[in-house]
Amino acid sequence: MKRILVVGEDALCCALGERLVAAGLPGWSLARTSIDTQGVTKLKPALPRYIEQAKYVQPVLCIADTDGQCAVALRSSWLQGVDPDRFVLRLAQTEAESWLLADREGFAQALAVPLNKLPHHPDAEPDPKRLILNLMRRSKVRMFRDEVIAATDPGKPGTGYNLHLGTFVRSHWSAWRAARYSSSLARALQGVQALDVHQG
């Protein structure tokens, strides 16, 4: 069985990477537990190591946020002209949360929020994380309202933010449904699928 390593700048990026592998590379398995670098400042300097792994050990899928920057410029800056076939770097426009919102039906159903409040163009949302927090205030499930939003500051994530959104991604989120509303996700899915071609 072909194997792939998933690396993400946070837990949410890792969960999304795992689901992209499941959707785009059926029959492949994860080489090991996904690596959460806990921030882009730790991810960026580690990229040469993961590129080496992609060359000599197994393909690597790396997921990070653009944080409002140009994805093409960011990718060029990070890779410094190195672009091996077996290393896939995909950047969520603007944050990984925009890819969550892109599965409109799944998000509305799993997190009990109104479907008509989900954006049709999540890549264009300037602050997807804030939008999710606003949406969660409308959730019909009290546990989500209480735990996804910080009790002391409604503008910040609560202690259950990563837990509940990670569970949503792993249990309900569909990369194929989401790709209909997010062009950056659609390109990411194509990039993952291309690995199967490169690996024969």
Side-chain angles (χ1 to χ4, degrees):
M1 179 179 285
K2 299 172 186 174
R3 305 197 312 165
I4 185 169
L5 174 66
V6 171
V7 180
E9 74 164 75
D10 55 28
L12 204 50
C13 286
C14 288
L16 287 165
E18 292 165 10
R19 295 292 284 171
L20 281 172
V21 169
L25 297 172
W28 286 50
S29 65
L30 299 178
R32 50 159 288 179
T33 303
S34 299
I35 298 174
D36 173 4
T37 64
Q38 300 183 349
V40 71
T41 54
K42 293 180 181 176
L43 172 65
K44 189 177 170 184
L47 285 177
R49 185 168 76 245
Y50 297 127
I51 290 172
E52 286 299 299
Q53 279 207 35
K55 283 181 183 176
Y56 301 112
V57 183
Q58 80 282 301
V60 175
L61 170 62
C62 181
I63 305 289
D65 302 336
T66 64
D67 292 321
Q69 299 180 62
C70 170
V72 174
L74 206 57
R75 179 183 164 82
S76 176
S77 167
W78 286 9
L79 294 180
Q80 298 286 312
V82 177
D83 195 9
D85 291 339
R86 290 161 40 108
F87 181 80
V88 178
L89 172 63
R90 301 313 310 185
L91 302 169
Q93 187 75 35
T94 300
E95 297 173 321
E97 281 82 354
S98 65
W99 288 0
L100 271 64
L101 293 165
D103 181 4
R104 301 178 71 246
E105 295 87 353
F107 193 98
Q109 184 175 11
L111 297 167
V113 300
L115 176 61
N116 64 359
K117 299 300 179 186
L118 272 292
H120 285 85
H121 304 287
D123 285 356
E125 286 295 326
D127 193 343
K129 184 176 288 183
R130 181 171 296 277
L131 177 56
I132 284 180
L133 294 175
N134 290 336
L135 286 167
M136 295 315 297
R137 288 192 195 97
R138 295 170 170 261
S139 176
K140 294 177 181 175
V141 178
R142 180 173 181 174
M143 177 179 65
F144 294 151
R145 297 196 305 270
D146 289 348
E147 297 180 6
V148 174
I149 304 166
T152 54
D153 184 346
K156 292 186 176 178
T159 55
Y161 185 88
N162 283 328
L163 171 67
H164 292 302
L165 294 185
T167 298
F168 160 61
V169 171
R170 290 188 172 91
S171 304
H172 301 283
W173 185 79
S174 165
W176 295 109
R177 280 196 306 256
R180 296 193 318 234
Y181 294 99
S182 166
S183 56
S184 70
L185 177 60
R187 290 191 297 273
L189 194 50
Q190 290 169 1
V192 169
Q193 289 180 296
L195 277 172
D196 216 20
V197 176
H198 293 307
Q199 295 302 297

